[in-house]
Amino acid sequence: MNEKKRPKAVIVGGSIAGVSCAHSLILAGWDVAVLEKSCAPPTGSPTGAGLGLDPLARTLIGTWIKSHQLLHNTTLPLTFDQNQATDGEKKVSWTVTRDEKFNFRAAYWADLHDLLYNALPPNIFLWGHLFSSFSVCNDKKAVKVKAKVLQTEEIVDVVGDLLVAADGCLSSIRRSFLPDLKLRYAGYCAWRGVLDFSENENSDTIVSIRKAYPDLGRCLYFDLGSSTHIGLYELQRKNLNWIWYINQPEPELKKNSVTMKVTDDMIQKMHQEAEKIWDPALARVIKETKEPFINVIYDSDPLQQLYWDNVVLVGDAAHPTTPHGLRSTNMSLLDAAVLGACLDKWGREKLESALEEYQSIRLPVVAKQALHSRRMGRLKQGLVLETGKTFDLKTANSEDCEELQQKNMPYFADAPLPVGSRYACSTP
Ligand SMILES: Cc1cc2nc3c(=O)[nH]c(=O)nc-3n(C[C@H](O)[C@H](O)[C@H](O)COP(=O)(O)OP(=O)(O)OC[C@H]3O[C@@H](n4cnc5c(N)ncnc54)[C@H](O)[C@@H]3O)c2cc1C
Ligand SMILES: *[C@@H]1O[C@H](CO)[C@@H](O)[C@H](O)[C@H]1NC(C)=O
Ligand SMILES: *[C@@H]1O[C@H](CO)[C@@H](O)[C@H](O)[C@H]1NC(C)=O
């Protein structure tokens, strides 16, 4: 009898926010169905690149996958957060700031997704299901979702008590409520890639990059050039992750994606630029990276609300953000944990109170963090700030430089969780 009474959520999007919500809602006693347009789990393929996880993020993941050790083994430490500057002409670098108590860890996107996905019960994922529309029915007590099964072109209905939009920064569910919301182009794109050096650990390139960046394997490096910057850190299984931001006019995006196809010609030009701007060892890492790609960087001004009736936004759908604060994953995980805790606390009968509390806890945090990340990006790219000033290493004093550090992120170590929930407060 109890089985029948379990409330059900339909989650659209099976990336980090979607799998995390699946975990937290199951813990809250909900049934879930996850609709994902990709046809299969991304397992095994070199999907995505690196991301940073703070201590609470790791606690939550460890709880969901029931092994802190496994997550630990899959990640590498980012104990230091270091900003340095490079003079491309003279090929010299110097340290600008160094925080030795950073305590993040670095994961490969695909590895993290794998861990979270494999720890879910079987049969809750509907792969190859493209969400197309939804309608709220039964006095706002139910929601009916229509999706197209990509393999057969068949249209199916999935009905639940709650629709969770985890469909990313270009969310079509968000668009149905906010048709006029436009993402803001950051003013720059990012070239990124991962160099797999498992076959040649002792190559000249690897030996020289370790010499130039001696704390690789435990440090989040940012290198600042003139109106450009690059992030560099190591990932498990002998991989180097880099992400290089370049100011340019907004490119035209062909598909519904913020990742851009690149031509050999573009790659060659990028390699030439790298030689001019960065340390020779770093330029070599960039040149030896197979299949680098471009992310066009967007965010949005903070939303005013995160739910409408029984439809709620989580992850990038709720707060498109630039990557400078290493927040996207963190925010997605915490959205999921808070949503689960609120649903657990209020029960299905008080769904609106649960969503209201979720919104009131998350909105102030994600709004401040996204705006802070925007500012960090503009600072490091030498773009004009709200004050009309620009950050310039040549004239910056030490106080200006302090601003470059990750630890200045609002709510850096104390984002709130709902009061009085059963399982949300398992902080280390
Ligand atoms: C393949 C992939 C690789 C990534 N790699 C990295 C990385 O290396 N480093 C990093 O920092 N961030 C990466 N990200 C982004 C990162 O996951 C997000 O920034 C953050 O974790 C928030 O995730 P999200 O789940 O809210 O959104 P997203 O990760 O954007 O996921 C949205 C999901 O919704 C699905 N979806 C969208 N529309 C529909 C629809 N109509 N029907 C069904 N499904 C739909 C998409 O296929 C996608 O799986 C990656 C995202 C993806 C999808
Ligand atoms: C996310 O970051 C906030 C600080 O910004 C931190 O308080 C919180 O513990 C982190 N949460 C997760 C789930 O990582
Ligand atoms: C993690 O790594 C350690 C050391 O290599 C190993 O002993 C342990 O079994 C691993 N644990 C898991 C859960 O993978």
Side-chain angles (χ1 to χ4, degrees), residues 13 15-17 36-37 47-50 109 129 131 166-168 315-316 328 332:
S15 178
I16 303 296
E36 168 56 52
K37 65 181 176 186
T47 312
W109 183 89
H129 281 58
F131 161 89
D167 53 347
D316 282 1
S328 299
S332 300

Side-chain angles (χ1 to χ4, degrees), residues 321-372:
T321 183
T322 57
H324 310 289
L326 279 71
R327 284 292 108 178
S328 299
T329 308
N330 166 288
M331 293 200 279
S332 300
L333 291 162
L334 205 53
D335 290 350
V338 171
L339 180 60
C342 291
L343 292 173
D344 180 55
K345 176 175 164 184
W346 292 96
R348 164 218 229 154
E349 302 313 320
K350 298 222 170 92
L351 184 60
E352 176 157 14
S353 305
L355 298 182
E356 183 62 40
E357 184 167 6
Y358 163 76
Q359 173 176 285
S360 71
I361 290 176
R362 291 305 289 153
L363 208 53
V365 177
V366 299
K368 279 214 177 96
Q369 294 195 332
L371 290 176
H372 183 83

Side-chain angles (χ1 to χ4, degrees), residues 54-73:
D54 60 274
L56 179 56
R58 300 194 310 265
T59 305
L60 286 170
I61 298 164
T63 309
W64 292 336
I65 68 174
K66 299 186 185 67
S67 167
H68 294 272
Q69 191 67 44
L70 192 54
L71 176 65
H72 193 85
N73 285 7

